[in-house]
Amino acid sequence: MEILQAIGEWIVGFFGFDDLMEFLENKTFADFLTYDGIKVLIRPLFPITLVLEMARGLLFKSFGLGNYKIPFFSYVLNAFIGRYLSLGMTAICIGFFEPKALFHISFTWYWFIYGYIVWEFAHFIYHYLAHKVRLFWCLHSTHHAPENMNLAVSYAHFFLEGPYADIIRASICILAGLPPAMLFAIMFIDGTWGAFIHIGDHLVKDARMGKLGNFMLSPAHHRVHHARNVQYMDTNFCNLLNIWDRVFKTYQPELDDVKVEYGITREMKPNHFLDAYFGELVALAKDVYHAPGLVNKFLYIFMPPGWSHTGQHKTAAAMKKEAGIG
């Protein structure tokens, strides 16, 4: 009975119903218009949509349960470790950098626009480095390992990626003057949208979002980001506003004649959790071990994935150049 009770409590917590019930018991309906109220209302939408996505896939036999294996085990492993490390790193960055901020802004709607643009820049920096520095790619590659797209992929992360990402994002935002309350509000919006852009293509076929896709990052843009097609590699690093992808020339819309192929370029066992979670670290360790000289060992860690001391590079940039893609 205790096991069943624990499972029931986990399910209620996963869907966010515990916070919703507590809010209904202790607050008025007017409180739902507050920031905390909106968070409580929005939180269950993602897991409910995830269940609907899985149910539809099972009904129409458009996917196998194995497609959810990597995200599921990543979620279980990261449920406590990654979450608390990320919160801890964010708190440390706020405490350390807030006194050193260039200036401080107030929590108003116009400064919120500024704050979100700064956040997107910080997210771009973290995400770009995650693809261009091999050590960071080892932390990020778990998220790209699944060979299909569904909402559960948003849970597929190496446990150290969140803390590394939040150190970069929180530090830049706090130094740029964002108050902690605004930072947390933006992180909530970013996290919510960042989850929904992984919606499965068997649930939403065309996810370009029409005119909105011209300035917002749509699920179609993020599907391109998760592609291993040479045309699509290392593009669309933003999360909600694609402004910085356009500024830094990494913007890439989905093309009708280039079907997205999900996954990473390294050959790996399909839907194999341990290979997805640790495979890139093992490959890096082998390259460092066999590399001649300390300089090359160091370069393997910090050069882009695919870099080789032999000069026979398989980086995204080298592959695009070889394919004649500018």
Side-chain angles (χ1 to χ4, degrees):
M1 290 299 293
E2 292 182 0
I3 294 177
L4 292 176
Q5 183 179 355
I7 294 174
E9 291 175 354
W10 179 86
I11 292 174
V12 170
F14 175 75
F15 282 93
F17 293 148
D18 50 349
D19 291 338
L20 181 60
M21 290 185 292
E22 182 180 351
F23 209 85
L24 287 171
E25 290 175 0
N26 301 310
K27 304 289 184 179
T28 65
F29 284 104
D31 292 318
F32 281 110
L33 298 177
T34 64
Y35 170 66
D36 289 337
I38 293 172
K39 282 177 58 179
V40 168
L41 282 174
I42 290 178
R43 184 184 165 194
L45 293 180
F46 177 76
I48 289 173
T49 307
L50 172 59
V51 171
L52 291 175
E53 181 186 73
M54 295 178 67
R56 188 183 186 282
L58 287 170
L59 182 64
F60 292 97
K61 298 180 181 180
S62 57
F63 76 100
L65 286 177
N67 295 341
Y68 289 81
K69 184 177 178 180
I70 294 172
F72 174 76
F73 284 111
S74 297
Y75 173 78
V76 172
L77 187 61
N78 299 347
F80 300 102
I81 302 175
R83 179 187 306 174
Y84 291 116
L85 280 176
S86 292
L87 289 173
M89 290 301 100
T90 301
I92 290 171
C93 290
I94 291 173
F96 183 78
F97 288 109
E98 193 172 19
K100 300 174 177 61
L102 300 176
F103 54 90
H104 293 89
I105 63 173
S106 58
F107 200 151
T108 56
W109 68 267
Y110 46 88
W111 278 119
F112 190 85
I113 296 173
Y114 160 81
Y116 215 103
I117 293 174
V118 170
W119 166 268
E120 281 288 7
F121 175 73
H123 180 86
F124 181 94
I125 295 298
Y126 133 70
H127 207 173
Y128 183 85
L129 291 176
H131 282 252
K132 295 299 186 179
V133 176
R134 189 167 177 191
L135 177 61
F136 296 154
W137 170 247
C138 289
L139 307 183
H140 187 57
S141 62
T142 301
H143 185 57
H144 282 262
E147 296 184 340
N148 57 86
M149 181 60 76
N150 57 70
L151 287 173
V153 172
S154 64
Y155 291 121
H157 288 282
F158 193 81
F159 79 98
L160 289 176
E161 184 184 14
Y164 141 70
D166 286 333
I167 287 174
I168 294 176
R169 296 184 297 196
S171 299
I172 292 174
C173 288
I174 294 299
L175 283 172
L178 275 67
M182 181 184 290
L183 174 61
F184 285 119
I186 291 174
M187 290 175 72
F188 172 72
I189 296 171
D190 178 85
T192 302
W193 184 252
F196 273 105
I197 57 177
H198 293 90
I199 195 163
D201 41 19
H202 68 274
L203 184 62
V204 178
K205 194 69 175 177
D206 186 347
R208 291 178 172 88
M209 292 176 49
K211 297 289 186 181
L212 287 176
N214 291 330
F215 61 91
M216 288 181 65
L217 190 127
S218 67
H221 288 122
H222 203 62
R223 290 170 186 177
V224 166
H225 174 74
H226 273 260
R228 61 187 173 199
N229 311 62
V230 175
Q231 177 80 31
Y232 291 152
M233 290 173 66
D234 287 359
T235 59
N236 299 343
F237 293 109
C238 292
N239 196 62
L240 176 59
L241 307 174
N242 58 44
I243 177 174
W244 296 111
D245 278 312
R246 293 183 181 276
V247 169
F248 293 112
K249 311 299 183 183
T250 54
Y251 174 73
Q252 174 63 60
E254 184 179 4
L255 303 174
D256 291 330
D257 58 342
V258 182
K259 183 180 179 181
V260 172
E261 297 176 10
Y262 298 111
I264 59 179
T265 56
R266 175 179 63 86
E267 186 175 344
M268 58 175 291
K269 301 173 184 177
N271 299 319
H272 193 282
F273 168 66
L274 291 178
D275 193 14
Y277 209 80
F278 297 107
E280 288 295 321
L281 284 170
V282 172
L284 173 59
K286 289 180 178 178
D287 283 341
V288 170
Y289 178 78
H290 292 292
L294 287 176
V295 172
N296 284 320
K297 293 180 186 296
F298 181 85
L299 289 174
Y300 268 112
I301 295 173
F302 294 102
M303 291 299 284
W307 180 88
S308 174
H309 72 279
T310 64
Q312 298 176 327
H313 307 306
K314 294 296 182 181
T315 63
M319 293 170 68
K320 288 188 175 186
K321 183 178 180 180
E322 184 179 341
I325 300 171

